[in-house]
Amino acid sequence: MSKILVTGGTGFIGSHTVVELQEAGYGVIIVDNLSNSKAETVDNIEKITGVRPEFENFDLSDRGAVLNFFLRHKGEINAVIHFAAFKAVGESVHKPLEYYRNNVNSLMNILEGMKYTGVANLVFSSSCTVYGQPDKLPVTEGTPRKPAESPYGNTKTVNEDIIRDFCHEEKQINGLALRYFNPIGAHPSSLIGESPVGIPNNLVPYITQTAAGLRKELSIFGDDYDTPDGTPIRDYIDVVDLSKAHVVAIKRLLEGKNKSNYEYFNIGTGKGLSVLELVNAFKKATGVALPYKIVGRRAGDIVKIWADTTLANTELGWKAEVPIEQTLLNAWNWEKRCRGIK
Ligand code: UFG
């Protein structure tokens, strides 16, 4: 059985990916310092899959701790999926050093640990944020990256470059970056999902918290954009679909099917939805009509982006499958379970 190190494995996308990996027969070691997640997620992963992943709690930006980890597990780990990172766009503007220190050092420590202990495969959690506002839609992997809008976004660009340069030199190591569009939803079991701390920044957690009565109304940030209904357009990808993309990426690397030792793929649905369309889909899926008001634009928001997923479809054999209403219903069921709503 191949064993996969999943950093950030108790987080939103990480926990769903651990479930999919275990269900596909892989062994998993999670490393997470629980800075933005809870240890009980490990229990819930076990409830879903019947298998308890190994779990170690330490900070991946601590070089000594990371090298020690890789030495202790020498010969045991076949691949790494690196999720662990700070991810709040707005916060990163105010705390650039924390973001660079955490997100960039963690990656470099992991690459060093991989090199010294012979771990050959890395899947990296990147983002469509590297494209900024593209000149042409949909975006393909050939679409040029643009200067990042925030330190957070820049850590994704910089980390992609670090992996590219490292793999260029270390031919025995394979890197594969997945550029996620907007991940949303929750596991259909309602045992794991997204748990933002404080007031959510992202649209779907804000919607589900409003529906649950925790927030008075949703503020829609601008309806005067150059889109059909004036609200911004995104490509919302179900978190379970997204997690499955990691499993096929791991399989590709372990089977040596990668075409070069650094590759990157867009992971989205290929369909753009506006904020208003998403709010309407939520009502259709759950029967809950959402109170909302239109407010001013949010600084730094791009107008529209969605993926061309041809490369992931053809090369990885992966495709988004879950309909948006089901994804939103899963997100709502998770919120209800967290709040004790029947
Ligand atoms: N929005 C609202 N009201 C809210 C929250 C969001 O109208 O309360 C709107 C935003 O203006 C935007 C859309 O909903 O048009 C989606 O916003 P999110 O914050 O959910 O997602 P973003 O597209 O801004 O950001 C996401 C990820 C980032 C990543 C970025 C890449 O959260 O990590 O995509 O484009 F960098």
Side-chain angles (χ1 to χ4, degrees), residues 184-187 204-205 208 282 325-336:
I184 62 166
H187 196 266
V204 170
T208 56
F282 184 81
E325 281 86 11
Q326 185 61 51
T327 300
L328 292 168
L329 186 60
N330 292 342
W332 176 226
N333 287 337
W334 159 249
E335 185 74 53
K336 284 201 291 185

Side-chain angles (χ1 to χ4, degrees), residues 128-129 152 182 201-203 219-221 232 234 236 298 301:
C128 70
T129 194
Y152 159 76
N182 284 53
N201 292 308
N202 296 118
L203 181 59
S219 296
I220 294 181
F221 300 135
R234 298 286 185 273
Y236 295 95
R298 182 170 71 177
D301 267 345

Side-chain angles (χ1 to χ4, degrees), residues 170-191:
E170 305 293 335
K171 299 286 188 230
Q172 77 284 10
I173 293 188
N174 303 299
L176 190 156
L178 298 177
R179 293 176 175 164
Y180 317 150
F181 283 67
N182 284 53
I184 62 166
H187 196 266
S189 64
S190 301
L191 286 165

Side-chain angles (χ1 to χ4, degrees), residues 104-236:
V104 179
N105 282 350
S106 296
L107 173 70
M108 292 197 298
N109 294 338
I110 288 163
L111 290 174
E112 201 181 357
M114 289 173 65
K115 176 178 169 177
Y116 290 127
T117 59
V119 179
N121 304 298
L122 174 76
V123 173
F124 175 63
S125 157
S126 189
S127 164
C128 70
T129 194
V130 301
Y131 296 115
Q133 176 61 66
D135 300 325
K136 250 177 70 187
L137 287 164
V139 288
T140 70
E141 288 75 2
T143 299
R145 296 182 312 175
K146 289 204 170 162
E149 298 276 348
S150 68
Y152 159 76
N154 203 30
T155 65
K156 293 297 179 192
T157 308
V158 168
N159 278 356
E160 283 193 356
D161 289 349
I162 291 172
I163 297 168
R164 181 201 61 204
D165 295 348
F166 186 75
C167 292
H168 181 76
E169 182 59 23
E170 305 293 335
K171 299 286 188 230
Q172 77 284 10
I173 293 188
N174 303 299
L176 190 156
L178 298 177
R179 293 176 175 164
Y180 317 150
F181 283 67
N182 284 53
I184 62 166
H187 196 266
S189 64
S190 301
L191 286 165
I192 53 173
E194 191 171 8
S195 303
V197 177
I199 301 171
N201 292 308
N202 296 118
L203 181 59
V204 170
Y206 207 103
I207 286 176
T208 56
Q209 289 198 8
T210 305
L214 269 83
R215 314 276 158 214
K216 190 165 136 262
E217 61 196 348
L218 170 72
S219 296
I220 294 181
F221 300 135
D223 69 348
D224 55 352
Y225 285 99
D226 178 22
T227 61
D229 66 22
T231 62
I233 295 176
R234 298 286 185 273
D235 183 337
Y236 295 95

